[in-house]
Amino acid sequence: MITAIREVRRAKGLTLADVAERCDPPTTAQTIGRLETGTRTVSVGWLNRIAKALEVDAGDLVKL
């Protein structure tokens, strides 16, 4: 799945650590980075957690 996590995060002026800390439960900046780059597969659960942390709709993070 191709996502726009990095673009949305940068547009909001947030670091990987900021997003990781905002996740519930919190995670690591390394994990967020891997999800952004596609090194780690983004599940629906992760997509929802990151969307909530970024205060956007999960659909805004998916590229078709």
Side-chain angles (χ1 to χ4, degrees):
M1 175 186 315
I2 300 172
T3 68
I5 296 169
R6 177 176 284 163
E7 292 86 349
V8 173
R9 176 182 60 78
R10 286 182 175 170
K12 290 185 170 274
L14 299 171
T15 65
L16 291 170
D18 293 334
V19 177
E21 188 176 299
R22 290 177 172 206
C23 281
D24 184 25
T27 188
T28 65
Q30 183 178 30
T31 297
I32 300 300
R34 288 178 176 168
L35 292 165
E36 280 187 356
T37 61
T39 304
R40 182 171 175 178
T41 303
V42 180
S43 66
V44 172
W46 270 112
L47 198 63
N48 288 329
R49 282 174 67 188
I50 294 170
K52 186 174 180 183
L54 292 172
E55 299 176 339
V56 298
D57 184 70
D60 294 338
L61 299 179
V62 179
K63 292 182 180 179
L64 300 175

